[in-house]
Amino acid sequence: MMKKFSLFAVLFTAALLGAESIEFNTKADFARGTILAGSNCLRSFVPGVHVESKKFAVDTQKKYRLSGEFRAGKNSGGKIESLYFGFVPFDADGKQIMPENVRPVNTGIFTLVQDVKAGDKVLKIKGDHRIINTPFIMAAFDAKGDLSDLPNYDLSPRMNHKTVKFADGIITVELIAPMTFDRPAGTPVRFHSLDAMHIYTVGKITPDAQWQKFSGEISGSAVRGVPYHQWWRGTKSAAAIFRYVGKAVQCEVEFRNIKVETIE
């Protein structure tokens, strides 16, 4: 029978041996997800729901390898259509870093030309209106030219790009939801955009009925943006995560030996 270790036991053993390896092999090692015990493995049976490990500290100067074994389980037809495997990044306060917090559309700094209050749904900004060309753009307030404000959590709701008006160098645009905070005229603004929610270092995989091992490596810290093989700016801890899609409502995936190793 495969020997299982709790997250605590692995960390304790690693400390004694000088190794840097964290394994997630029991239900107690996971903070999120619908998980059942299987035969020498764990099982998830709700497609689309994230399975997320407990957090671990990250040193962005080191290189990490994320690996795990997966296979298609019950009601899967012998194959999982797609499974995304990677990390959730968190900042020093334990807050999840989302793509829009670190993904400027460009590095230009623009200016709020009219006070905005909580509850307002219109922004007036001096800047380049051509940037607001998709439904995924928002304003990041108190932006800095050197990007030291990243991750920036002072974001407007998304802009309705179909409402953009531009006259005399001023952008007027409606928001899809009201503002939740105030900012005075003159506040520096940068435009940010949405993207995939997590760092999918291993990427998209398609497990079949046989056990297969998948892995990916990550190192360094991105200056900006949302790469899959660098930690997003501000990352201080992370969790391993996967989500999958199957043809059946209760399509199962089985997994084991989920591991994060420091390799350099």
Side-chain angles (χ1 to χ4, degrees), residues 27-138:
K27 290 175 63 176
D29 296 335
F30 290 85
R32 181 180 178 186
T34 306
I35 301 171
L36 298 174
S39 177
N40 298 326
C41 66
L42 297 174
R43 298 155 48 212
S44 176
F45 60 90
V46 184
V49 173
H50 298 131
V51 176
E52 183 178 319
S53 77
K54 292 183 176 179
K55 297 177 186 177
F56 58 92
V58 168
D59 181 347
T60 58
Q61 300 300 310
K62 296 181 179 180
K63 180 180 287 188
Y64 296 87
R65 178 186 295 121
L66 172 64
S67 63
E69 297 176 49
F70 297 88
R71 73 177 178 185
K74 294 180 181 178
N75 302 320
S76 66
K79 187 174 183 179
I80 300 299
E81 291 183 10
S82 61
L83 185 151
Y84 294 87
F85 187 25
F87 296 104
V88 186
F90 300 92
D91 68 12
D93 296 321
K95 186 171 184 177
Q96 182 178 345
I97 301 170
M98 300 294 288
E100 56 268 31
N101 303 134
V102 293
R103 190 173 187 265
V105 178
N106 64 22
T107 57
I109 301 294
F110 306 116
T111 305
L112 188 68
V113 297
Q114 178 177 290
D115 293 353
V116 63
K117 303 290 185 182
D120 288 350
K121 291 188 68 175
V122 175
L123 295 180
K124 289 183 178 292
I125 299 170
K126 184 176 182 179
D128 186 351
H129 68 289
R130 293 170 297 179
I131 295 173
I132 310 173
N133 55 8
T134 77
F136 308 114
I137 306 297
M138 56 197 66

Side-chain angles (χ1 to χ4, degrees), residues 1-21:
M1 180 176 181
M2 181 182 72
K3 191 173 183 179
K4 295 183 179 178
F5 296 89
S6 69
L7 176 58
F8 174 81
V10 171
L11 288 172
F12 181 73
T13 302
L16 289 177
L17 299 177
E20 294 186 70
S21 176

